[in-house]
Amino acid sequence: MTLLKQTSYQPLTEAAAIQLALSLNIFTENAELVCKEIGDGNLNLVFHLVDEQAGKGLIIKQALPYAKVVGESWPLTLKRAKFEADALKIFGQIAPAYVPEVYFTDDILAITVMEDLSHLLIARTGVIKGETYPLLSKHLGEYLAKTLFFTSDYGLGLSAKKEQVQKFINPELCKITEDLIFTDPYFDAETNEFEDGLRAEVDALWQDEELKFHVNVLKRSFLTEAEVLLHGDLHTGSVFANNEETKIIDPEFAFYGPAGFDIGQVIANLLFQVIVNESKRDLFINHIETVWIVFEDQYTHLWNTENKEILAKTSTFLNYQLSKFFEDALGFAGCELIRRTIGLAHVADLDGIEDEHKRLAAKRKTLELGEVLIKQRKEINNLPSFIFKVKGVL
Ligand code: SR1
Ligand code: MG
């Protein structure tokens, strides 16, 4: 098929996506495919193709050579499509219930062809619309326990893990996180975006040496601690859900980093709903508690039954690991809260609040909670104290 023989990259059109899909023998030769570009993320093209007669569909995701959220002035490596496809395959083997199936990849076109998830909704969009997703947190807790255990030294074995670390050296995408989460929000960087009404809070944050010290400690952890294969961008925009199913997509930021980073991003993105959605506050607090409880329970089970490190298989060392993950997760959650409020790439949970007074109040609480979690993550060393702190800020 001509497109797949291409030796150079070209962005797909809807017509080209149909041509490509037909060449993959997933649909019948004469299938009449309808294709729509539905990408609403920050970086990629996403084509949804359907054979309405057969009731069958698929997704073709293609990386663009620049960050869509900014424009062509921000070039971005196409290699991220391979990182994403490779990570999807690994996570799919570890936690098949929660990861879309990959049918085909092409490194030159930077595409991943995968399972159609159009019966689900992006979880961020869903919760903003009022969905409660009763199983979301149980599923996320289980996904985190399995992926963060089976990609670690303890679940994978020391040599296999080192080989995997090598394959997931992902400097370009890590640089985005290093800048946008751990650096830019803490000084007057061009990438920052915040409303005039937050000027006083932002000025205070830029002057807060204690906060910046703690962010540097967390950044060092992100830079140096190759604990597990992270999804790397596990916010609620990377999760498809309905009341029964949850699928985690978009691991293009995958690399070996500290386990608490994925857990923290999940917690932070559920916290946005705790902050903005007063009528469902307890429900989302409950979701956060469930994520951690299920994670802890399943990780403990895997630690005791699948651990490849004989001498590490003690409850003392397990407790040390879990305490570290919890502390790191709170710190990283705090960084995510702050960056999504004043840095680049905001969230609709906050920006979608129409009333300016309410929106600014929610953003102030988000910044305050972010600072508390970053600075006090060591002292808040259990779930009840964490929930108590959250409620204290609301
Ligand atoms: C330039 S990329 C901005 C953000 O979009 C991605 O989803 C990541 O969250 C990244 O930080
Ligand atoms: Mg993404």
Side-chain angles (χ1 to χ4, degrees):
M1 178 287 151
T2 45
L3 260 174
L4 293 182
K5 288 193 185 129
Q6 291 264 140
T7 49
S8 64
Y9 173 87
Q10 65 176 44
L12 295 177
T13 58
E14 290 176 351
I18 290 180
Q19 206 196 350
L20 192 146
L22 285 172
S23 73
L24 296 176
N25 298 325
I26 295 172
F27 298 101
T28 56
E29 219 176 303
N30 303 320
E32 287 184 19
L33 299 184
V34 177
C35 175
K36 204 166 171 234
E37 202 282 309
I38 55 163
D40 64 353
N42 296 324
L43 303 176
N44 305 295
L45 294 173
V46 181
F47 298 92
H48 179 215
L49 294 104
V50 192
D51 174 352
E52 274 161 4
Q53 276 200 331
K56 202 168 160 183
L58 58 74
I59 293 290
I60 301 180
K61 179 170 173 181
Q62 184 179 39
L64 284 167
Y66 56 87
K68 206 166 73 176
V69 66
V70 178
E72 296 190 29
S73 61
W74 188 330
L76 215 53
T77 176
L78 293 172
K79 281 188 270 175
R80 67 188 195 275
K82 178 162 169 53
F83 284 112
E84 170 161 348
D86 289 350
L88 279 175
K89 287 176 197 160
I90 290 172
F91 295 145
Q93 275 167 8
I94 295 173
Y98 305 125
V99 182
E101 196 179 332
V102 174
Y103 302 137
F104 176 80
T105 61
D106 184 88
D107 296 346
I108 291 171
L109 285 173
I111 55 166
T112 308
V113 180
M114 63 188 127
E115 184 183 347
D116 182 10
L117 300 175
S118 60
H119 60 297
L120 309 175
L121 193 60
I122 285 290
R124 188 185 309 285
T125 312
V127 296
I128 291 171
K129 280 188 177 164
E131 296 292 340
T132 55
Y133 298 131
L135 295 177
L136 178 71
S137 44
K138 177 180 174 286
H139 291 169
L140 286 170
E142 188 171 325
Y143 168 88
L144 287 167
K146 288 184 169 160
T147 58
L148 303 184
F149 178 77
F150 281 116
T151 62
S152 73
D153 283 300
Y154 307 99
L156 194 54
L158 308 187
S159 298
K161 185 249 185 172
K162 283 184 188 66
E163 275 168 33
Q164 200 137 286
V165 172
Q166 262 184 332
K167 285 188 196 145
F168 282 93
I169 302 290
N170 191 355
E172 291 93 343
L173 278 276
C174 284
K175 169 98 170 74
I176 293 178
T177 304
E178 288 149 19
D179 290 345
L180 296 186
I181 298 192
F182 296 108
T183 313
D184 295 359
Y186 302 94
F187 79 106
D188 191 5
E190 260 184 39
T191 52
N192 290 330
E193 281 174 11
F194 55 88
E195 312 182 43
D196 288 344
L198 291 178
R199 170 55 70 179
E201 286 76 11
V202 172
D203 278 338
L205 190 142
W206 288 345
Q207 306 296 322
D208 190 336
E209 297 304 324
E210 186 195 351
L211 179 70
K212 288 191 278 184
F213 164 77
H214 283 286
V215 172
N216 267 313
V217 173
L218 289 158
K219 181 173 176 178
R220 188 185 61 169
S221 161
F222 184 86
L223 294 172
T224 60
E225 294 191 75
E227 288 178 344
V228 295
L229 181 61
L230 290 172
H231 176 286
D233 194 26
L234 193 35
H235 56 87
T236 43
S238 297
V239 179
F240 265 112
N242 67 12
N243 283 349
E244 290 90 37
E245 263 184 274
T246 306
K247 298 275 182 188
I248 288 109
I249 59 164
D250 273 5
E252 65 206 302
F253 285 75
F255 83 111
Y256 263 79
F261 187 77
D262 274 359
I263 307 170
Q265 287 214 312
V266 167
I267 290 175
N269 282 276
L270 293 169
L271 278 173
F272 290 124
Q273 282 301 306
V274 174
I275 293 166
V276 306
N277 194 343
E278 269 181 58
S279 67
K280 298 211 176 80
R281 185 160 280 166
D282 289 341
L283 187 139
F284 281 98
I285 288 181
N286 200 264
H287 266 318
I288 293 172
E289 290 174 321
T290 304
V291 168
W292 179 259
I293 290 166
V294 171
F295 168 75
E296 188 176 45
D297 186 58
Q298 302 226 0
Y299 190 90
T300 299
H301 174 71
L302 294 172
W303 185 267
N304 292 329
T305 56
E306 306 279 345
N307 203 327
K308 294 195 191 280
E309 275 294 286
I310 304 299
L311 289 183
K313 209 169 156 180
T314 65
S315 57
T316 323
F317 196 69
L318 169 65
N319 290 337
Y320 166 80
Q321 280 276 101
L322 290 169
S323 302
K324 179 187 184 297
F325 292 168
F326 191 70
E327 178 187 322
D328 289 354
L330 297 192
F332 292 129
C335 296
E336 172 75 349
L337 291 178
I338 292 175
R339 81 59 76 105
R340 297 285 182 196
T341 311
I342 63 170
L344 186 82
H346 285 197
V347 289
D349 313 57
L350 290 171
D351 279 13
I353 303 172
E354 275 175 26
D355 181 283
E356 188 188 6
H357 182 73
K358 286 190 185 153
R359 189 175 63 250
L360 286 174
K363 289 188 176 185
R364 288 193 186 105
K365 279 182 195 159
T366 307
L367 291 176
E368 188 187 339
L369 183 55
E371 291 178 27
V372 166
L373 295 182
I374 291 170
K375 288 179 183 168
Q376 300 179 29
R377 65 192 189 285
K378 251 189 213 322
E379 295 80 62
I380 314 173
N381 53 13
N382 59 57
L383 201 49
S385 330
F386 166 54
I387 302 303
F388 183 77
K389 281 286 174 195
V390 171
K391 288 184 173 166
V393 170
L394 297 174

